[in-house]
Amino acid sequence: MNVETALRQRSSIRAFSQTPVARELVESILDAARFSPSGSNIQPWHVHVVSGDSRAQIVREVRHAAQFERDQHPPAYNYYPPQWRDPYLARRRACGWGLYSLLGITKGDRVRGLQQELRNFDFFDAPVGLFFFIDDDIPYGGWLDYGMFLQSIMLAAQSKGLATCPQAAWAPFHRIIRRVVGAPDSQTLICGLALGYADSTAEVNSYRPQRVDTGEFTTWHLSGEGN
Ligand SMILES: Cc1cc2nc3c(=O)[nH]c(=O)nc-3n(C[C@H](O)[C@H](O)[C@H](O)COP(=O)(O)O)c2cc1C
């Protein structure tokens, strides 16, 4: 699969089959992703792969915390702006409602909305979960590097017939995850990622949120070049 095909075909998968993923396959994905660029080649990634018992423990504890103790788990960093404004607010709404309408969740249906949110915390049934930590003394640049590393993982997985869903939803529950995987207090949990085989029968996996056209975010400065 060439890179552009992988880029265009990858999408966030929110229903996985129970088919196990061989450890060698996960290793081969990480082995490809380690060639991602990073400023001064600092490679600021620390990855924890969970399946089996460790996955089950995290799922059990975080699902409980997300339902009953959410206020005890404030996020360690702002993924989203504290105050939403357009055009981001409109895009966020379109993304959320597009997904919910596909699932038949109507506006105001808090119970089903919460159920869907909680699906994050069983990795949407994916058999493998990844958690990504960064050292606290690494500033913005390392987070930029990390984004590339994450996309590399997702594209490598795509090229090997696997599916992914990046998940910032795990970030507030860093204390639980840190304890189970043994990550030090000096690292921040950036996000998790569900990894497995897509459930091809699940309608939710057909969701493809629209992108803005290239012309909406690009300004060309080409005068004098004959354009
Ligand atoms: C860093 C990051 C964190 C995300 N966190 C979540 C999440 O917690 N739960 C979820 O269902 N989707 C999550 N997403 C998926 C986005 O909603 C998705 O990428 C976006 O809607 C575009 O859709 P696509 O990935 O299918 O192309 C996340 C994406 C990124 C890049």
Side-chain angles (χ1 to χ4, degrees):
M1 180 181 286
N2 76 25
V3 176
E4 181 165 358
T5 305
L7 271 167
R8 289 182 183 273
Q9 284 186 357
R10 183 216 56 81
S11 67
S12 295
I13 290 302
R14 297 186 179 87
F16 289 81
S17 80
Q18 303 283 322
T19 310
V21 180
R23 179 190 166 132
E24 296 71 37
L25 209 42
V26 182
E27 272 175 1
S28 71
I29 290 166
L30 293 170
D31 192 51
R34 77 195 162 97
F35 291 96
S36 302
S38 59
S40 296
N41 200 27
I42 67 165
Q43 306 163 73
W45 22 84
H46 300 281
V47 183
H48 293 264
V49 183
V50 297
S51 68
D53 291 346
S54 55
R55 178 194 174 286
Q57 187 181 351
I58 289 170
V59 165
R60 191 171 58 247
E61 292 195 31
V62 173
R63 278 185 70 92
H64 181 272
Q67 287 176 88
F68 306 113
E69 301 166 353
R70 198 170 280 250
D71 53 347
Q72 293 172 36
H73 296 272
Y77 73 94
N78 277 341
Y79 186 84
Y80 293 114
Q83 289 291 322
W84 282 97
R85 66 172 171 83
D86 280 332
Y88 309 111
L89 178 60
R91 290 177 193 164
R92 173 181 163 83
R93 283 189 172 143
C95 177
W97 288 120
L99 183 66
Y100 276 27
S101 68
L102 190 68
L103 293 165
I105 303 174
T106 50
K107 238 180 206 172
D109 187 344
R110 293 233 177 106
V111 174
R112 289 211 51 210
L114 177 65
Q115 275 171 1
Q116 178 56 28
E117 197 201 336
L118 290 175
R119 292 279 292 136
N120 271 291
F121 306 124
D122 53 21
F123 294 103
F124 304 104
D125 293 334
V128 176
L130 280 76
F131 290 108
F132 302 97
F133 287 83
I134 189 166
D135 291 303
D136 288 341
D137 55 349
I138 300 295
Y140 291 150
W143 290 65
L144 183 61
D145 300 336
Y146 231 117
M148 298 184 209
F149 180 67
L150 289 166
Q151 173 75 322
S152 297
I153 287 176
M154 291 187 269
L155 295 181
Q158 184 75 26
S159 76
K160 293 169 191 289
L162 285 154
T164 54
C165 186
Q167 298 180 281
W170 290 103
F173 303 99
H174 56 93
R175 278 189 284 125
I176 295 173
I177 295 158
R178 187 190 306 283
R179 170 167 46 74
V180 177
V181 303
D185 286 345
S186 56
Q187 293 177 359
T188 297
L189 173 64
I190 294 184
C191 66
L193 182 127
L195 177 69
Y197 294 95
D199 175 352
S200 55
T201 64
E203 212 189 345
V204 67
N205 289 338
S206 65
Y207 184 49
R208 297 286 180 280
Q210 295 273 304
R211 300 301 203 261
V212 298
D213 291 333
T214 317
E216 273 192 58
F217 60 81
T218 310
T219 308
W220 298 88
H221 305 272
L222 303 176
S223 59
E225 288 192 9
N227 291 286

